[in-house]
Amino acid sequence: MVARLIDEDPEQAYGYSRVALRLASRVAAVREAAGFAAYATQRYPEALAEFRAARRMTGGVELWPVMADCERGMGRPERALAMAGEAEVQKLDKAGQVEMRLVAAGARRDMGQLEAAIVTLQSPELASNAVQPWTARLRYAYADALLAAERESEAREWFAKAVEADKDGSTDASDRLAELDGVEFVDALVDDDTDADADADIDTGNEADDADIDTSNGADEADIDTSNGADEADDAGTDGAQDAGGSGGSGVRPPADGASAAASDSSPGDDRIGGGNA
């Protein structure tokens, strides 16, 4: 489980490794797996302790390069460089020796010894035209060191060689090469999303415009209906006034005889409606 998850989800792999340690801490493979899980999550002191425990149990030297790299991760490049000169390195297979060379070159760079790092990487394995599992990483490290030393043309050459050897895409050599050549990559998915957003904005704008037009038409129709209603009311009022004028002059009905008599009997100071001189 730890081996399957370590590339996809290092933290989860680390969690599984801690469970395995509680169950089988005396098994060398468990200690080694726990070391690699801690290494993948940059827990270098813990990783180094697990690698040392696994090495004591097996007596092998296969973990020597990664143990040295843990020293680098803990900020002790001089210890990593010292390990590169130990007798254990001679017991490593070819892949292990290349790994040790990569770690030593990294330690040199950590110490600010860039030219020494470049020289450390120069080896028969680097010069070979044969492609081995370590070839892409070795060429990539060499190209990166050359670029750091501002030897751009040489760096481009070695990045191109790293691309040739990197069949499974274990490095970003192709991206680095494109960057040196001034090539810019455009994410097609981002462009599609941008176009979709733009279309959505246009559709929203059109819908808003249609809504405004409908609202305006509704308001105009309401104004017209109101105006027509007001005109009809005016016409009705005019016709009523004309009818009243034809029958009674001013349009006010004359008071009844009783009202006239009451008004005649009232005193001049009465302020009731109809008071005063009739």
Side-chain angles (χ1 to χ4, degrees):
M1 182 63 72
V2 173
R4 289 202 303 269
L5 289 173
I6 199 164
D7 292 329
E8 299 176 2
D9 192 343
E11 285 294 339
Q12 189 173 5
Y14 175 77
Y16 278 116
S17 73
R18 303 314 297 173
V19 174
L21 276 177
R22 288 196 296 270
L23 298 175
S25 61
R26 295 186 179 183
V27 178
V30 171
R31 303 301 291 267
E32 182 177 331
F36 277 111
Y39 178 82
T41 56
Q42 299 182 8
R43 295 176 170 91
Y44 298 117
E46 188 175 327
L48 183 58
E50 296 301 334
F51 289 143
R52 284 174 174 169
R55 182 170 179 267
R56 285 195 301 269
M57 293 177 182
T58 63
V61 296
E62 296 82 6
L63 297 173
W64 195 257
V66 71
M67 290 169 61
D69 207 35
C70 286
E71 295 285 2
R72 282 188 60 210
M74 294 163 64
R76 301 188 298 215
E78 66 285 348
R79 292 194 182 184
L81 203 56
M83 291 179 68
E86 297 288 344
E88 282 80 359
V89 176
Q90 303 304 318
K91 301 176 185 178
L92 294 169
D93 59 12
K94 183 62 69 176
Q97 290 180 3
V98 171
E99 289 295 330
M100 194 70 246
R101 190 178 293 276
L102 288 167
V103 173
R108 291 287 188 187
R109 291 189 64 172
D110 293 344
M111 298 167 67
Q113 302 173 5
L114 187 54
E115 290 299 329
I118 292 173
V119 172
T120 300
L121 293 169
Q122 293 171 348
S123 60
E125 293 80 16
L126 180 66
S128 175
N129 291 324
V131 176
Q132 302 293 342
W134 61 79
T135 302
R137 293 177 57 242
L138 183 59
R139 292 177 179 179
Y140 182 94
Y142 188 60
D144 189 54
L146 290 170
L147 188 60
E150 299 182 355
R151 293 159 63 173
E152 187 171 315
S153 60
E154 295 176 80
R156 189 203 176 283
E157 176 187 354
W158 282 98
F159 275 128
K161 290 182 178 181
V163 171
E164 293 174 0
D166 193 5
K167 302 302 182 183
D168 58 354
S170 60
T171 72
D172 64 345
S174 60
D175 293 339
R176 300 291 298 277
L177 181 62
E179 183 179 350
L180 287 174
D181 289 341
V183 177
E184 294 184 4
F185 295 98
V186 177
D187 193 337
L189 294 177
V190 173
D191 289 345
D192 290 343
D193 291 342
T194 302
D195 293 340
D197 292 341
D199 292 340
D201 291 340
I202 292 173
D203 291 341
T204 303
N206 291 337
E207 292 174 0
D209 291 340
D210 292 342
D212 290 341
I213 293 172
D214 292 340
T215 302
S216 176
N217 291 337
D220 292 342
E221 291 173 0
D223 290 341
I224 292 172
D225 291 341
T226 303
S227 176
N228 290 337
D231 292 341
E232 292 174 358
D234 290 342
D235 292 342
T238 302
D239 292 341
Q242 290 175 349
D243 292 342
S247 60
S250 65
V252 179
R253 294 176 63 188
D257 293 340
S260 299
S264 300
D265 294 339
S266 301
S267 62
D270 193 348
D271 60 355
R272 293 178 298 173
I273 297 175
N277 295 328

